[in-house]
Amino acid sequence: MNAYKLAELSVGMKESFEKEITLEMENAFREISGDDNPLHRDDEFAREAGEGKFKGHAAFGMLTASFYSTMAGMYLPGKYSLIHSFDEISFLKPVYVGDKLTITGEIVEKEDELKLIRLKVTIRNQDNKLVSRAKMKVLVLR
């Protein structure tokens, strides 16, 4: 876990990490969220409902989006973060079990008076395809 303080942060700083989506993650998310939509568990349903756009059941978008929290809480800034808000979250391509995701965050703005940074975060799959992106505001507590 990083522990950047506000004075140590600057526009252009980047951090990245990787995560592989597993069936266990999906099942845990299903249990926590209560979302049992067949799009997220039934390959045949997903292929039919998506008219061939899905190769199988899609991972939960919000499971993928949970890595935005990981970016702020563990990497940029890390220990002293408090997510303030999201200006945008977009889900651009489906994510599947077995996908290896790279999550990259970049500081695009810093407001010292407000103790706030703005992050642009992207999530790409193993084929370097952009699957999700977000713009978020994070307070830096120290």
Side-chain angles (χ1 to χ4, degrees):
M1 173 187 310
N2 290 332
Y4 291 116
K5 295 180 181 174
L6 186 66
E8 299 169 316
L9 298 168
S10 60
V11 171
M13 283 181 73
K14 287 184 180 182
E15 292 283 347
S16 291
F17 66 96
E18 295 180 352
K19 278 290 199 187
E20 181 173 345
I21 299 298
T22 66
L23 189 56
E24 292 78 17
M25 291 168 121
E26 285 186 338
N27 289 334
F29 190 88
R30 181 177 294 104
E31 181 69 26
I32 291 166
S33 70
D35 183 349
D36 196 33
N37 187 304
L39 180 66
H40 302 303
R41 64 173 162 69
D42 185 326
D43 291 337
E44 186 175 321
F45 174 85
R47 282 191 290 270
E48 287 176 16
E51 299 176 340
K53 294 178 184 168
F54 297 107
K55 63 182 182 183
H57 75 275
F60 296 93
M62 294 310 288
L63 170 59
T64 303
S66 71
F67 301 131
Y68 296 126
S69 178
T70 306
M71 174 55 68
M74 298 297 292
Y75 295 92
L76 201 56
K79 183 177 180 178
Y80 301 115
S81 71
L82 178 62
I83 295 174
H84 177 277
S85 59
F86 286 84
D87 293 331
E88 171 192 322
I89 296 179
S90 299
F91 303 101
L92 306 167
K93 292 197 180 307
V95 171
Y96 302 99
V97 168
D99 279 358
K100 294 175 179 70
L101 305 178
T102 300
I103 300 89
T104 303
E106 178 180 1
I107 299 175
V108 294
E109 194 174 331
K110 180 181 173 190
E111 297 185 33
D112 289 313
E113 317 76 52
L114 300 176
K115 297 184 178 179
L116 181 126
I117 59 173
R118 295 175 197 269
L119 296 177
K120 180 179 96 177
V121 187
T122 59
I123 302 178
R124 293 183 178 275
N125 66 16
Q126 63 280 354
D127 299 320
N128 203 34
K129 301 281 186 195
L130 186 63
V131 298
S132 184
R133 66 178 173 226
K135 294 178 183 175
M136 57 192 296
K137 295 175 188 167
V138 180
L139 295 171
V140 185
L141 302 176
R142 292 204 177 159

